[in-house]
Every structure is written in structure tokens, then in C-alpha cells.
Amino acid sequence: MNALHPVPRTLLRDRAYEAIRDAIVAGEIEPGAVVRDAELAERLGLSRAPVREAFSRLVDDGLLESKPQSYTRVTPVVAADVRDAAAVVGALHELVTRIAVPRLQGTDVDVMRAANDRFAAAVRAGDVDAALRADDELHDVLVHVSGNRAAAATVARYTPLIRRLERRRFGEGGNCRSAGLHERLIEACAEGDVDDAVRVTAEIWRGLEGLADAD
């Protein structure tokens, strides 16, 4: 019976946060939709307390907005907010790339190549969710290897704001040239060329800032 023990409250809070965040990013809970802690707690099989804590974090992240005693609802996709988030996240990706490239092992580069193969296949198939998962997996290699926990936390916090607009662009039939840019990034990483890897990373994120400008 030692394996049976209460689930830590922090895990319930994180479970609620991740589930609601992912539903917002995926468009399952649409911009402007009012969210209620009791309803979502029931759907998630949780009590209301971790859902309320998740709401608070999502407000801080810019995915929810709340008026006390009135409503909590999903924020609209605002181009200026996405552009600001992309600028911050892009700068941090440049930082972690500069740190990570000299530390990369061959297995790390292999993981990046496999992620890009999945990304390219998903883009061809029009599978938005798979494409964005693979994109995250590729860039997360550099974030992880860098060991910069502050950068990792900030990237995780603000990337969902960007993903919402990316999903919409994919849904509207938008093109994605990132597979080719990823290949250039991976080659630079494989060769240990820090400066080129940073340049390609900057190019990738400038493209995402441009995505917001086009909104």
C-alpha cells in the first residue's frame, strides 16, 4: 500500500493549468469565451481550488482576463501582445542557443533532426498540433542543454501567446518555411558554429514577429 499516497496539491494545480492553457491555445476554448471554475473543475475531475489557482496563473500569462465578481474570460488574440511575446521569447532563444551549442552532443543533434522530420511531415499533412509539438521539441533541446532555468520558465510562459496566432495562421492556410530554417539551425549546431546558429535562430523569431505584424 506504500504506492498509494495523496497527490500533491501542486501537481493538481499544474495539471489544471496545463490542461486549460492547452485548450485555449488549441482554440477549444475560444477567445472571448467566459470560463467558470466549477464547470472546468468538473470536466477535469478536480476540485475548484486548483482550477482557481490555474486561472490566476493564466491571467498573469495573458491568456485570461478577469473582472472581480463579474467574469473570467479568454483574452482576444492581440497582434501587439504576440509581437511583444515573440520579441522576448526570440531573444531568450538566441541566448540559450549561444550557451547550448558548445555543449551539444551528437545525440542532441539527432533529437533535433528527428523533431524537424516530424515537423515537416506534419506541415505537409496540415496537422497543426503535431507541427507545433515538433517545433517545441526541437527548440526545447537547446533550452534544456543551456541549463538556464530563468530562460526556460519565461519561454514556457510566453510561447502559448504566440502559438495561438500560429494555429490560426495554419488554419487559414498559411505557409510555414520553418522546416528549411530548422535544417540550417541544425547544421550550424552540428558544426558547432555558434554565431551562425544564433543568426538562424534570430531569423526564425523575426518571422514570428512578422506573423503578428500581418494580423
Side-chain angles (χ1 to χ4, degrees), residues 119-120 122-128 131-132 164-179 207-208 210-211 214-215:
F119 176 85
V123 170
R124 288 193 299 269
D127 188 337
V128 179
L132 295 182
R164 286 206 295 168
L165 182 57
E166 286 184 283
R167 281 193 102 269
R168 192 166 80 186
R169 284 286 183 251
F170 270 120
E172 294 170 349
N175 294 321
C176 183
R177 296 180 298 159
S178 291
L208 289 173
L211 193 71
D215 195 50

Side-chain angles (χ1 to χ4, degrees), residues 19 56 85 88 142 148 184 193 197 199:
S56 179
V88 170
L142 296 169
N148 190 316
R184 288 173 50 199
D193 190 333
R199 277 194 295 270

Side-chain angles (χ1 to χ4, degrees), residues 101 104-105 109 112-113 184-193:
V101 169
L104 288 171
Q105 304 295 315
V109 176
M112 294 174 71
R113 290 190 194 281
R184 288 173 50 199
L185 173 61
I186 292 165
E187 289 309 311
C189 289
E191 294 170 6
D193 190 333

Side-chain angles (χ1 to χ4, degrees), residues 24 30-33 62-65 73-78 81 161 164:
I24 291 171
E30 297 181 348
L63 293 173
L64 292 179
E65 56 188 5
R73 64 189 179 195
V74 179
T75 56
V77 179
V78 178
D81 293 342
L161 284 173
R164 286 206 295 168

